Amino acid sequence: MPAASSHRRLCVHTITTKPLSIEECLVEFPKRGVSGITIWRQALEGRDLSAVARQTREAGLDIVSLSRGGFFPATSAAARQTAIEDNLKAIDQAQAIGAPLIVLVCGAVPGQPLTESRKQITDGIAAVLPAAEKAGVKLAIEPLHPMYADDRSAVNTMRQAHEICDALGSPASVGIAVDVYHVWWDPELKSQIDLAGQTGRLHAFHICDWRTPTIDLLNDRGLMGEGCINIREISDWVEATGFTGYREVEIFSNRLWATDQGEFLDRIRDSYAALYE
Ligand code: ZN
């Protein structure tokens, strides 16, 4: 399989090709030399998890992570407990499919101070950490672009993610997912990536591009090369820390989901090759 070796470290998220079922992803990804897969929980609905684990292995794909946990903040203790239980379920699912990592979209509540939400996020992670460690599953805090600070994440910079890791006592199982879409604008990005490397917190690296104009705040991400993010430069900073993990293509796009997903995967392969080879 020469194609596979030439695209070493290429991972695609199931949400990137949302119209495809997990079974279709397992057929189509390897054809383009994709060797890693991050599985979104909705792709697992109605599936036998041990069968998914076996089928993924048989397809020759590494499961890079399960996406996603998080959404810890809420205005009532009962709702925060519900969130903790959902994260415990995600840990069980990750263990069942053999995913070594869960990506956390940490959550936020409109009108609740971001400082309070970050405290609730810290408490929520602390509550599920023993179960994650017992299951051998790591957790990655993914800072989200500040345009999502209202209702998706009160963690908007690498620095804030580091502060939560610090507050938790720097457990080895809690780190950071660096997604270029969310953090490319941050003047501290390089130094914070360096720090993540030094502290062993660089758990995942996600790529896509920022389109101008962006016409939908959530579902108008670009394929690498379609936008203005300095992806290769950021990638080089990540590599310089010693990171050897997958480069994960995570794209939410109504425009690209409406296209032929096989051709879209061809474009992902080609744009990845243009970036890295
Ligand atoms: Zn991401």
Side-chain angles (χ1 to χ4, degrees):
M1 298 238 295
S5 60
S6 66
H7 292 88
R8 209 171 48 84
R9 301 175 60 195
L10 169 57
C11 167
V12 176
H13 284 226
T14 58
I15 195 86
T16 298
T17 53
K18 191 168 79 165
L20 301 184
S21 66
I22 179 86
E23 291 79 12
E24 290 168 325
C25 291
L26 298 182
V27 172
E28 299 299 327
F29 286 10
K31 283 185 193 169
R32 279 85 182 177
V34 176
S35 50
I37 183 169
T38 279
I39 298 178
W40 280 58
R41 292 171 75 192
Q42 50 265 56
L44 294 173
E45 274 170 26
R47 305 302 197 281
D48 177 88
L49 299 185
S50 58
V52 170
R54 189 188 66 249
Q55 291 158 358
T56 307
R57 218 168 31 243
E58 287 169 358
L61 290 164
D62 287 335
I63 298 181
V64 179
S65 55
L66 179 71
S67 188
R68 57 182 194 233
F71 289 99
F72 293 108
T75 50
S76 75
R80 290 195 292 276
Q81 185 57 35
T82 300
I84 286 168
E85 282 158 19
D86 183 62
N87 279 272
L88 293 172
K89 184 179 170 201
I91 291 165
D92 286 343
Q93 290 174 319
Q95 188 177 29
I97 62 170
L101 179 71
I102 296 174
V103 177
L104 302 178
V105 172
C106 291
V109 178
Q112 174 165 281
L114 295 172
T115 47
E116 175 62 19
S117 288
R118 286 196 285 274
K119 182 179 174 302
Q120 293 177 0
I121 290 163
T122 307
D123 291 345
I125 294 173
V128 303
L129 190 55
E133 289 179 340
K134 186 157 177 271
V137 174
K138 293 187 173 184
L139 305 173
I141 298 167
E142 179 165 348
L144 258 53
H145 190 282
M147 70 177 171
Y148 301 116
D150 58 341
D151 66 351
R152 301 183 76 80
S153 185
V155 182
N156 306 109
T157 63
M158 294 275 295
R159 176 180 287 273
Q160 289 166 348
H162 276 298
E163 286 168 355
I164 290 175
C165 293
D166 292 341
L168 290 165
S170 300
S173 50
V174 181
I176 300 171
V178 176
D179 185 323
V180 299
Y181 193 74
H182 297 301
V183 296
W184 67 278
W185 57 272
D186 185 346
E188 293 191 323
L189 184 56
K190 184 179 184 306
S191 61
Q192 295 294 319
I193 286 174
D194 288 346
L195 180 61
Q198 289 156 19
T199 50
R201 292 175 181 166
L202 217 170
H203 283 3
F205 181 53
H206 298 173
I207 57 174
C208 69
D209 218 334
W210 184 284
R211 281 159 55 78
T212 305
T214 292
I215 59 172
D216 183 296
L217 293 186
L218 187 60
N219 295 324
D220 191 31
R221 295 190 184 199
L223 178 65
M224 298 84 73
E226 287 186 326
C228 61
I229 300 178
N230 50 330
I231 304 170
R232 180 57 197 252
E233 185 179 35
I234 297 170
S235 198
D236 287 345
W237 297 340
V238 167
E239 304 283 305
T241 69
F243 180 84
T244 56
Y246 278 93
R247 301 168 182 131
E248 307 180 37
V249 178
E250 181 190 29
I251 302 171
F252 317 146
S253 167
N254 293 327
R255 172 182 58 96
L256 293 165
W257 287 331
T259 65
D260 179 277
Q261 297 299 284
E263 289 171 15
F264 178 31
L265 280 165
D266 290 344
R267 294 181 63 200
I268 289 172
R269 174 199 58 204
D270 294 345
S271 63
Y272 183 87
L275 258 180
Y276 293 112
E277 290 164 17

